Amino acid sequence: MSLRATARIVADAGGGLPLLESDGPLAVRRTRATGPYTRVTVVGAMSAPLGGDRLAIETEVRDGARLLVDSAAATLALPGRGDAPAAYDIRLTVGDRAALRWLPEQLVSARGSDLRMRTTVELAATARLVLREEQILGRHGEETGTLSTRLTVRRAGRPLLDQELAYGPGAPGGWDGGAVLSGHRAVGQLLVVDPEFEAKPVASRPLAENAVLTPLAGPAGLVTAVAADALQLRRVLDEALGALAPA
């Protein structure tokens, strides 16, 4: 039997969490923070998403608030009993002078799974965002499942980024070819949006053998990377995060 679950997080400028609502396999917990950000950790309460599941996390960072959201472990997409794909929607809203650091652990696409993931972000003109996505295509020694992801970001009501990726059986041909993954099984990106980049835009440059920083048409930079495994991918993205958006 498939699941329907939506977790909700609301952070305010005083460091409070007026809404922290868990649902089904998505347990959200306030955890100890060492910096200026209020911290919430997503804890998987059961195996999910399975085929047919419909999961969502809705997060609102109100004006002037600072919120860090991470997760306790990787998310593992698994096959279900039927043929229906699973869906995982992330909806983020960041207000004026607010900041969100969205730093979950990796998403692992297990063999036989089929997951459609959608992340939608609405930013105020003065908002700041750090968003990391990491996908691991298959567990150790196995083929990947089917995974499609879409990241849509709007700033002050205008499009900033709209990107869609697809991997595995059923994805458009060439996804594993030399022009895309070239045999790598870990892929990720780091998006940093900061109004300070308007005065000093980021410069396009390679960051590693298989990673590059690209400025966007707005106060933002996008790091994209592929790697042999999750450890190498995280190392590249952590180095980029330290350079672009130190805590």
Side-chain angles (χ1 to χ4, degrees):
M1 184 175 181
S2 60
L3 291 170
R4 303 290 189 274
T6 300
R8 295 178 174 87
I9 304 167
V10 176
D12 63 24
L17 294 168
L19 180 61
L20 194 60
E21 181 178 274
S22 302
D23 191 12
L26 301 172
V28 288
R29 302 284 187 264
R30 181 167 191 160
T31 48
R32 180 176 297 178
T34 57
Y37 287 77
T38 301
R39 181 183 175 194
V40 172
T41 299
V42 181
V43 180
M46 62 182 74
S47 295
L50 307 178
D53 289 350
R54 298 290 183 270
L55 307 181
I57 299 179
E58 298 178 350
T59 299
E60 178 188 358
V61 188
R62 292 177 175 170
D63 295 353
R66 293 184 177 185
L67 178 67
L68 164 65
V69 179
D70 58 12
S71 57
T75 297
L76 179 61
L78 294 166
R81 294 183 178 180
D83 296 329
Y88 196 175
D89 291 330
I90 307 294
R91 297 184 282 271
L92 312 174
T93 303
V94 188
D96 282 316
R97 304 174 311 283
L100 172 63
R101 296 171 75 92
W102 187 265
L103 300 172
E105 293 300 309
Q106 299 91 351
L107 168 66
V108 181
S109 177
R111 181 174 57 191
S113 65
D114 188 350
L115 176 63
R116 317 290 168 84
M117 188 167 185
R118 177 73 185 265
T119 302
T120 304
V121 186
E122 295 284 352
L123 300 173
T126 55
R128 289 181 291 138
L129 173 71
V130 173
L131 183 147
R132 182 181 67 208
E133 291 187 337
E134 298 170 300
Q135 293 94 32
I136 310 303
L137 306 180
R139 292 170 291 191
H140 181 70
E142 76 172 8
E143 298 176 353
T144 182
T146 297
L147 174 64
S148 65
T149 70
R150 184 169 182 178
L151 172 60
T152 302
V153 183
R154 287 182 287 268
R155 176 177 178 266
R158 297 183 177 182
L160 179 68
L161 176 66
D162 195 349
Q163 177 174 281
E164 188 168 2
L165 304 170
Y167 310 104
W175 66 271
D176 198 23
V180 186
L181 295 183
S182 188
H184 294 91
R185 282 296 178 268
V187 58
Q189 55 189 356
L190 176 73
L191 173 65
V192 179
V193 183
D194 193 324
E196 293 186 5
F197 292 161
E198 290 181 318
K200 188 178 180 181
V202 299
S204 178
R205 64 183 187 273
L207 299 177
E209 181 180 359
N210 296 299
V212 65
L213 168 62
T214 304
L216 300 182
L222 178 67
V223 177
T224 53
V226 297
D229 56 38
L231 182 61
Q232 291 183 21
L233 178 65
R234 177 62 62 83
R235 184 180 299 118
V236 171
L237 295 183
D238 278 352
E239 290 177 358
L241 177 59
L244 289 173

